Amino acid sequence: MKKSPFPITDDHIHIHPGTGRGLEAAKDFQKSGGTHIFLVSLPSWSYGIVPGKGEDYRPVFEATLKTAAAIRELGLTVYPVLGIHPAEITYFSEIRTEGEMAAIMQAGLDLAARYVADGSAVALKSGRPHYPVGPGCWDLSNAVLAHALELGGACGCAVQIHAETGPCTDVVQMAEQAGMDPGRVVKHFATPDTPLAPSFLARDEIIPALCREGRAFTMESDYMDDPARPGAVIGPRSVPRITTRLLAGGAITGEDVHRIHAETPSRVYGVEIAL
């Protein structure tokens, strides 16, 4: 097992012991030098759940927390992130209207916020579709996102958002109106032009240039742990391996590594990341 001299944090990863590689994927991350993960809850459909009310998301969140506990037994530090995937508003379109799903998703976020409030999770997950939808669905999705931001403000926690490619500049005002610091809204799968807290896919070639600018950001794999999509988006070894390679090649410095993997996520999520 590779012993890392500094924290290596994956800001967005999924682990699914039920149907995926589960703990073996977490072990791969650890063996490559990884030390900390933000474990993000999967969509309800990953567990065969068709939500009809907010409480129906409880098994999803409980499964995430159970997985987090099992991963901690390996010696990794795990921070659960609970919420509702924004695609749920259209995924169940054959049995739920978009308006019905928006209300269910908001209630599910209320439940997720209770887990944050009791210390079981550190952040919420929300967003809006990253694919074309009609104006009605877009407005409903923004209402769900606004609700998540209001809950984040009330809980004093970060909110990870899964949204369209691009800066999502309007979310800054949405966060401020919700009483939340936009600097604690994490743009998952970010692009450099976002004014939010960017989390970049580890293979993003712009990372060294952003480090030279002293930019604050985090790194992620968005590993899906889905046997139907092996390696999607990139594998669990990616964040530690790419970080180590960039450092060894002089593309980034030790100071950059500390800022990416410890200083920035500690500030954004209100946790202490250290070895």
Side-chain angles (χ1 to χ4, degrees), residues 214-265:
R215 181 81 178 270
F217 62 87
T218 54
M219 289 172 64
E220 63 177 66
S221 64
D222 193 22
Y223 175 65
M224 300 297 293
D225 202 15
D226 182 351
R229 302 169 62 197
V233 172
I234 55 178
R237 297 179 182 269
S238 301
V239 170
R241 280 187 167 179
I242 291 173
T243 299
T244 301
R245 185 177 73 239
L246 291 174
L247 179 63
I252 63 176
T253 67
E255 182 179 336
D256 295 327
V257 173
H258 181 265
R259 183 171 61 252
I260 294 167
H261 294 286
E263 180 183 312
T264 299

Short mmCIF file of all heavy atoms in Angstrom, two decimals, residues 214-265:
data_model
loop_
_atom_site.label_atom_id
_atom_site.label_comp_id
_atom_site.label_asym_id
_atom_site.label_seq_id
_atom_site.Cartn_x
_atom_site.Cartn_y
_atom_site.Cartn_z
N GLY A 214 -2.75 29.84 -8.49
CA GLY A 214 -3.11 29.80 -7.08
C GLY A 214 -4.60 29.62 -6.86
O GLY A 214 -5.12 29.97 -5.79
N ARG A 215 -5.27 29.04 -7.83
CA ARG A 215 -6.73 28.87 -7.77
C ARG A 215 -7.11 27.83 -6.72
O ARG A 215 -6.48 26.78 -6.60
CB ARG A 215 -7.24 28.44 -9.14
CG ARG A 215 -8.76 28.25 -9.24
CD ARG A 215 -9.46 29.56 -9.44
NE ARG A 215 -10.91 29.35 -9.58
CZ ARG A 215 -11.54 29.13 -10.73
NH1 ARG A 215 -10.85 29.12 -11.86
NH2 ARG A 215 -12.85 28.98 -10.77
N ALA A 216 -8.15 28.12 -5.98
CA ALA A 216 -8.65 27.17 -4.98
C ALA A 216 -9.68 26.26 -5.64
O ALA A 216 -10.67 26.74 -6.22
CB ALA A 216 -9.29 27.92 -3.81
N PHE A 217 -9.46 24.97 -5.56
CA PHE A 217 -10.40 23.99 -6.12
C PHE A 217 -10.12 22.63 -5.50
O PHE A 217 -9.14 22.45 -4.77
CB PHE A 217 -10.28 23.92 -7.65
CG PHE A 217 -8.91 23.46 -8.15
CD1 PHE A 217 -8.61 22.12 -8.30
CD2 PHE A 217 -7.94 24.39 -8.47
CE1 PHE A 217 -7.37 21.70 -8.75
CE2 PHE A 217 -6.68 23.99 -8.93
CZ PHE A 217 -6.40 22.64 -9.08
N THR A 218 -11.00 21.67 -5.79
CA THR A 218 -10.81 20.30 -5.34
C THR A 218 -10.78 19.39 -6.57
O THR A 218 -11.01 19.83 -7.69
CB THR A 218 -11.94 19.86 -4.39
OG1 THR A 218 -13.20 20.09 -5.03
CG2 THR A 218 -11.88 20.65 -3.09
N MET A 219 -10.47 18.10 -6.34
CA MET A 219 -10.41 17.12 -7.42
C MET A 219 -11.36 15.97 -7.12
O MET A 219 -11.58 15.62 -5.97
CB MET A 219 -8.97 16.60 -7.58
CG MET A 219 -8.01 17.62 -8.16
SD MET A 219 -6.27 17.06 -8.13
CE MET A 219 -6.32 15.64 -9.23
N GLU A 220 -11.88 15.36 -8.18
CA GLU A 220 -12.83 14.27 -8.02
C GLU A 220 -12.65 13.23 -9.11
O GLU A 220 -12.06 13.51 -10.17
CB GLU A 220 -14.26 14.82 -8.07
CG GLU A 220 -14.62 15.44 -9.41
CD GLU A 220 -16.06 15.91 -9.48
OE1 GLU A 220 -16.40 16.87 -8.74
OE2 GLU A 220 -16.84 15.33 -10.26
N SER A 221 -13.20 12.05 -8.84
CA SER A 221 -13.22 11.00 -9.86
C SER A 221 -14.62 10.84 -10.46
O SER A 221 -14.77 10.43 -11.61
CB SER A 221 -12.79 9.66 -9.27
OG SER A 221 -13.72 9.23 -8.28
N ASP A 222 -15.64 11.15 -9.68
CA ASP A 222 -17.03 10.85 -10.03
C ASP A 222 -17.18 9.37 -10.40
O ASP A 222 -17.98 9.00 -11.27
CB ASP A 222 -17.52 11.74 -11.18
CG ASP A 222 -19.04 11.67 -11.37
OD1 ASP A 222 -19.74 11.30 -10.40
OD2 ASP A 222 -19.53 11.97 -12.48
N TYR A 223 -16.38 8.52 -9.75
CA TYR A 223 -16.48 7.08 -9.99
C TYR A 223 -17.88 6.62 -9.66
O TYR A 223 -18.42 6.94 -8.60
CB TYR A 223 -15.45 6.35 -9.13
CG TYR A 223 -15.53 4.85 -9.21
CD1 TYR A 223 -15.24 4.19 -10.40
CD2 TYR A 223 -15.89 4.09 -8.09
CE1 TYR A 223 -15.31 2.80 -10.48
CE2 TYR A 223 -15.95 2.71 -8.17
CZ TYR A 223 -15.67 2.07 -9.36
OH TYR A 223 -15.74 0.70 -9.43
N MET A 224 -18.51 5.85 -10.58
CA MET A 224 -19.91 5.49 -10.44
C MET A 224 -20.12 4.14 -9.76
O MET A 224 -21.20 3.86 -9.25
CB MET A 224 -20.58 5.47 -11.82
CG MET A 224 -20.54 6.81 -12.54
SD MET A 224 -21.44 8.11 -11.69
CE MET A 224 -23.10 7.51 -11.87
N ASP A 225 -19.12 3.27 -9.78
CA ASP A 225 -19.23 1.92 -9.23
C ASP A 225 -20.44 1.19 -9.80
O ASP A 225 -21.22 0.57 -9.07
CB ASP A 225 -19.28 1.95 -7.69
CG ASP A 225 -18.84 0.61 -7.08
OD1 ASP A 225 -18.24 -0.20 -7.80
OD2 ASP A 225 -19.10 0.40 -5.88
N ASP A 226 -20.56 1.26 -11.10
CA ASP A 226 -21.67 0.64 -11.81
C ASP A 226 -21.10 -0.43 -12.74
O ASP A 226 -20.36 -0.12 -13.67
CB ASP A 226 -22.41 1.71 -12.62
CG ASP A 226 -23.61 1.17 -13.37
OD1 ASP A 226 -23.79 -0.07 -13.42
OD2 ASP A 226 -24.37 1.99 -13.92
N PRO A 227 -21.42 -1.73 -12.51
CA PRO A 227 -20.86 -2.78 -13.35
C PRO A 227 -21.23 -2.66 -14.82
O PRO A 227 -20.53 -3.19 -15.68
CB PRO A 227 -21.44 -4.07 -12.73
CG PRO A 227 -22.64 -3.63 -11.97
CD PRO A 227 -22.32 -2.25 -11.47
N ALA A 228 -22.32 -1.96 -15.10
CA ALA A 228 -22.72 -1.76 -16.49
C ALA A 228 -21.86 -0.68 -17.16
O ALA A 228 -21.83 -0.59 -18.39
CB ALA A 228 -24.19 -1.37 -16.58
N ARG A 229 -21.17 0.12 -16.33
CA ARG A 229 -20.30 1.19 -16.84
C ARG A 229 -18.97 1.15 -16.10
O ARG A 229 -18.66 2.05 -15.33
CB ARG A 229 -20.98 2.54 -16.67
CG ARG A 229 -22.32 2.67 -17.34
CD ARG A 229 -23.03 3.94 -16.91
NE ARG A 229 -22.27 5.14 -17.29
CZ ARG A 229 -22.48 6.33 -16.76
NH1 ARG A 229 -23.40 6.49 -15.82
NH2 ARG A 229 -21.77 7.37 -17.16
N PRO A 230 -18.18 0.08 -16.29
CA PRO A 230 -16.93 -0.05 -15.53
C PRO A 230 -15.99 1.12 -15.78
O PRO A 230 -15.75 1.52 -16.92
CB PRO A 230 -16.34 -1.36 -16.07
CG PRO A 230 -17.01 -1.58 -17.39
CD PRO A 230 -18.37 -1.00 -17.26
N GLY A 231 -15.46 1.68 -14.69
CA GLY A 231 -14.52 2.79 -14.80
C GLY A 231 -15.18 4.14 -14.94
O GLY A 231 -14.50 5.16 -14.95
N ALA A 232 -16.50 4.19 -15.07
CA ALA A 232 -17.17 5.49 -15.26
C ALA A 232 -17.24 6.22 -13.92
O ALA A 232 -17.57 5.63 -12.91
CB ALA A 232 -18.59 5.27 -15.80
N VAL A 233 -16.98 7.50 -13.90
CA VAL A 233 -16.50 8.33 -15.00
C VAL A 233 -15.00 8.06 -15.19
O VAL A 233 -14.52 7.82 -16.30
CB VAL A 233 -16.80 9.81 -14.68
CG1 VAL A 233 -16.15 10.73 -15.70
CG2 VAL A 233 -18.29 10.03 -14.66
N ILE A 234 -14.22 8.13 -14.11
CA ILE A 234 -12.87 7.61 -14.11
C ILE A 234 -12.73 6.76 -12.86
O ILE A 234 -13.53 6.84 -11.94
CB ILE A 234 -11.79 8.72 -14.18
CG1 ILE A 234 -11.98 9.74 -13.06
CG2 ILE A 234 -11.81 9.41 -15.53
CD1 ILE A 234 -10.90 10.83 -13.04
N GLY A 235 -11.71 5.92 -12.83
CA GLY A 235 -11.60 4.93 -11.77
C GLY A 235 -11.25 5.50 -10.41
O GLY A 235 -10.80 6.64 -10.28
N PRO A 236 -11.43 4.69 -9.35
CA PRO A 236 -11.17 5.15 -7.99
C PRO A 236 -9.70 5.44 -7.69
O PRO A 236 -9.39 6.14 -6.73
CB PRO A 236 -11.69 4.00 -7.12
CG PRO A 236 -11.65 2.80 -8.01
CD PRO A 236 -11.95 3.31 -9.39
N ARG A 237 -8.80 4.91 -8.51
CA ARG A 237 -7.37 5.20 -8.32
C ARG A 237 -6.97 6.57 -8.89
O ARG A 237 -5.87 7.07 -8.61
CB ARG A 237 -6.51 4.14 -9.01
CG ARG A 237 -6.66 2.72 -8.48
CD ARG A 237 -5.77 1.78 -9.28
NE ARG A 237 -5.89 0.40 -8.88
CZ ARG A 237 -5.13 -0.19 -7.94
NH1 ARG A 237 -4.19 0.51 -7.33
NH2 ARG A 237 -5.31 -1.46 -7.65
N SER A 238 -7.85 7.16 -9.68
CA SER A 238 -7.47 8.31 -10.51
C SER A 238 -6.97 9.51 -9.74
O SER A 238 -5.93 10.10 -10.07
CB SER A 238 -8.66 8.73 -11.38
OG SER A 238 -9.07 7.67 -12.20
N VAL A 239 -7.72 9.94 -8.71
CA VAL A 239 -7.32 11.16 -7.99
C VAL A 239 -5.94 11.01 -7.35
O VAL A 239 -5.07 11.87 -7.56
CB VAL A 239 -8.39 11.55 -6.95
CG1 VAL A 239 -7.87 12.66 -6.04
CG2 VAL A 239 -9.66 12.01 -7.65
N PRO A 240 -5.65 9.95 -6.59
CA PRO A 240 -4.30 9.85 -6.02
C PRO A 240 -3.23 9.63 -7.07
O PRO A 240 -2.13 10.22 -6.98
CB PRO A 240 -4.41 8.65 -5.06
CG PRO A 240 -5.63 7.91 -5.45
CD PRO A 240 -6.56 8.92 -6.03
N ARG A 241 -3.49 8.82 -8.07
CA ARG A 241 -2.48 8.55 -9.08
C ARG A 241 -2.13 9.80 -9.88
O ARG A 241 -0.95 10.08 -10.11
CB ARG A 241 -2.96 7.45 -10.03
CG ARG A 241 -2.79 6.05 -9.49
CD ARG A 241 -3.14 5.02 -10.54
NE ARG A 241 -2.72 3.68 -10.16
CZ ARG A 241 -2.92 2.59 -10.89
NH1 ARG A 241 -3.55 2.70 -12.05
NH2 ARG A 241 -2.49 1.42 -10.49
N ILE A 242 -3.14 10.54 -10.32
CA ILE A 242 -2.87 11.73 -11.13
C ILE A 242 -2.20 12.81 -10.29
O ILE A 242 -1.26 13.48 -10.75
CB ILE A 242 -4.18 12.25 -11.76
CG1 ILE A 242 -4.67 11.25 -12.81
CG2 ILE A 242 -3.98 13.64 -12.37
CD1 ILE A 242 -6.03 11.57 -13.39
N THR A 243 -2.64 12.97 -9.04
CA THR A 243 -1.99 13.94 -8.16
C THR A 243 -0.52 13.60 -7.98
O THR A 243 0.36 14.48 -8.09
CB THR A 243 -2.68 13.97 -6.79
OG1 THR A 243 -4.04 14.36 -6.95
CG2 THR A 243 -1.99 14.95 -5.85
N THR A 244 -0.22 12.34 -7.71
CA THR A 244 1.16 11.91 -7.50
C THR A 244 1.99 12.12 -8.75
O THR A 244 3.14 12.57 -8.68
CB THR A 244 1.20 10.43 -7.08
OG1 THR A 244 0.44 10.26 -5.87
CG2 THR A 244 2.63 9.97 -6.84
N ARG A 245 1.42 11.81 -9.92
CA ARG A 245 2.15 11.97 -11.18
C ARG A 245 2.43 13.44 -11.47
O ARG A 245 3.55 13.79 -11.88
CB ARG A 245 1.34 11.36 -12.32
CG ARG A 245 2.10 11.38 -13.65
CD ARG A 245 1.34 10.71 -14.77
NE ARG A 245 0.21 11.51 -15.21
CZ ARG A 245 -1.05 11.11 -15.19
NH1 ARG A 245 -1.37 9.94 -14.69
NH2 ARG A 245 -2.01 11.91 -15.64
N LEU A 246 1.45 14.30 -11.25
CA LEU A 246 1.65 15.73 -11.49
C LEU A 246 2.72 16.31 -10.56
O LEU A 246 3.55 17.12 -10.97
CB LEU A 246 0.34 16.49 -11.31
CG LEU A 246 -0.75 16.24 -12.35
CD1 LEU A 246 -2.05 16.95 -11.94
CD2 LEU A 246 -0.32 16.71 -13.74
N LEU A 247 2.70 15.85 -9.32
CA LEU A 247 3.69 16.33 -8.35
C LEU A 247 5.08 15.84 -8.71
O LEU A 247 6.05 16.62 -8.72
CB LEU A 247 3.31 15.86 -6.95
CG LEU A 247 4.26 16.26 -5.81
CD1 LEU A 247 4.32 17.78 -5.67
CD2 LEU A 247 3.81 15.63 -4.50
N ALA A 248 5.20 14.56 -9.05
CA ALA A 248 6.50 13.99 -9.39
C ALA A 248 7.08 14.62 -10.65
O ALA A 248 8.31 14.78 -10.78
CB ALA A 248 6.37 12.48 -9.58
N GLY A 249 6.22 15.04 -11.57
CA GLY A 249 6.68 15.64 -12.81
C GLY A 249 6.90 17.13 -12.72
O GLY A 249 7.32 17.76 -13.72
N GLY A 250 6.64 17.72 -11.56
CA GLY A 250 6.86 19.14 -11.38
C GLY A 250 5.75 20.02 -11.92
O GLY A 250 5.88 21.25 -11.95
N ALA A 251 4.64 19.42 -12.34
CA ALA A 251 3.54 20.21 -12.88
C ALA A 251 2.79 20.95 -11.78
O ALA A 251 2.18 22.00 -12.03
CB ALA A 251 2.58 19.32 -13.66
N ILE A 252 2.81 20.39 -10.58
CA ILE A 252 2.23 21.04 -9.42
C ILE A 252 3.21 20.90 -8.27
O ILE A 252 4.13 20.08 -8.32
CB ILE A 252 0.85 20.46 -9.03
CG1 ILE A 252 0.98 18.98 -8.62
CG2 ILE A 252 -0.14 20.61 -10.17
CD1 ILE A 252 -0.33 18.37 -8.13
N THR A 253 3.02 21.70 -7.21
CA THR A 253 3.93 21.68 -6.08
C THR A 253 3.26 21.03 -4.86
O THR A 253 2.05 20.81 -4.83
CB THR A 253 4.34 23.11 -5.70
OG1 THR A 253 3.18 23.80 -5.19
CG2 THR A 253 4.90 23.86 -6.91
N GLY A 254 4.07 20.79 -3.84
CA GLY A 254 3.52 20.29 -2.59
C GLY A 254 2.52 21.25 -1.99
O GLY A 254 1.53 20.83 -1.39
N GLU A 255 2.77 22.54 -2.16
CA GLU A 255 1.83 23.55 -1.67
C GLU A 255 0.49 23.44 -2.41
O GLU A 255 -0.58 23.57 -1.82
CB GLU A 255 2.42 24.94 -1.87
CG GLU A 255 1.54 26.07 -1.36
CD GLU A 255 2.18 27.44 -1.55
OE1 GLU A 255 3.42 27.50 -1.65
OE2 GLU A 255 1.43 28.43 -1.61
N ASP A 256 0.56 23.17 -3.72
CA ASP A 256 -0.66 22.98 -4.50
C ASP A 256 -1.44 21.77 -3.99
O ASP A 256 -2.67 21.83 -3.85
CB ASP A 256 -0.33 22.77 -5.98
CG ASP A 256 0.30 23.98 -6.64
OD1 ASP A 256 -0.05 25.12 -6.25
OD2 ASP A 256 1.14 23.79 -7.54
N VAL A 257 -0.72 20.69 -3.74
CA VAL A 257 -1.37 19.47 -3.25
C VAL A 257 -2.10 19.74 -1.94
O VAL A 257 -3.25 19.31 -1.74
CB VAL A 257 -0.35 18.33 -3.09
CG1 VAL A 257 -1.00 17.12 -2.43
CG2 VAL A 257 0.25 17.93 -4.43
N HIS A 258 -1.45 20.46 -1.05
CA HIS A 258 -2.08 20.77 0.24
C HIS A 258 -3.32 21.64 0.04
O HIS A 258 -4.35 21.43 0.69
CB HIS A 258 -1.08 21.49 1.16
CG HIS A 258 -1.65 21.81 2.50
ND1 HIS A 258 -2.21 23.04 2.80
CD2 HIS A 258 -1.78 21.07 3.63
CE1 HIS A 258 -2.64 23.03 4.04
NE2 HIS A 258 -2.39 21.85 4.57
N ARG A 259 -3.24 22.60 -0.87
CA ARG A 259 -4.38 23.49 -1.10
C ARG A 259 -5.56 22.71 -1.72
O ARG A 259 -6.71 22.90 -1.31
CB ARG A 259 -3.98 24.63 -2.03
CG ARG A 259 -5.11 25.65 -2.27
CD ARG A 259 -4.62 26.88 -3.02
NE ARG A 259 -4.09 26.55 -4.33
CZ ARG A 259 -2.80 26.59 -4.64
NH1 ARG A 259 -1.89 26.95 -3.74
NH2 ARG A 259 -2.38 26.25 -5.86
N ILE A 260 -5.27 21.83 -2.67
CA ILE A 260 -6.32 21.07 -3.34
C ILE A 260 -6.98 20.06 -2.41
O ILE A 260 -8.21 19.96 -2.35
CB ILE A 260 -5.74 20.31 -4.57
CG1 ILE A 260 -5.27 21.29 -5.64
CG2 ILE A 260 -6.78 19.35 -5.15
CD1 ILE A 260 -4.41 20.64 -6.72
N HIS A 261 -6.16 19.32 -1.68
CA HIS A 261 -6.65 18.14 -0.98
C HIS A 261 -6.92 18.34 0.51
O HIS A 261 -7.56 17.49 1.13
CB HIS A 261 -5.67 16.98 -1.17
CG HIS A 261 -5.58 16.52 -2.59
ND1 HIS A 261 -6.59 15.79 -3.18
CD2 HIS A 261 -4.63 16.70 -3.54
CE1 HIS A 261 -6.24 15.52 -4.44
NE2 HIS A 261 -5.07 16.06 -4.67
N ALA A 262 -6.45 19.44 1.07
CA ALA A 262 -6.66 19.66 2.51
C ALA A 262 -7.26 21.04 2.78
O ALA A 262 -8.36 21.16 3.32
CB ALA A 262 -5.35 19.50 3.28
N GLU A 263 -6.56 22.09 2.38
CA GLU A 263 -6.98 23.44 2.73
C GLU A 263 -8.35 23.80 2.15
O GLU A 263 -9.25 24.25 2.87
CB GLU A 263 -5.93 24.44 2.24
CG GLU A 263 -6.25 25.88 2.53
CD GLU A 263 -5.20 26.83 1.95
OE1 GLU A 263 -3.99 26.57 2.16
OE2 GLU A 263 -5.59 27.81 1.28
N THR A 264 -8.54 23.60 0.85
CA THR A 264 -9.80 24.00 0.21
C THR A 264 -10.99 23.16 0.67
O THR A 264 -12.02 23.72 1.08
CB THR A 264 -9.66 23.97 -1.33
OG1 THR A 264 -8.64 24.89 -1.72
CG2 THR A 264 -10.98 24.37 -2.00
N PRO A 265 -10.91 21.83 0.64
CA PRO A 265 -12.08 21.08 1.12
C PRO A 265 -12.38 21.29 2.60
O PRO A 265 -13.54 21.27 3.01
CB PRO A 265 -11.73 19.62 0.81
CG PRO A 265 -10.25 19.60 0.65
CD PRO A 265 -9.88 20.93 0.09
#
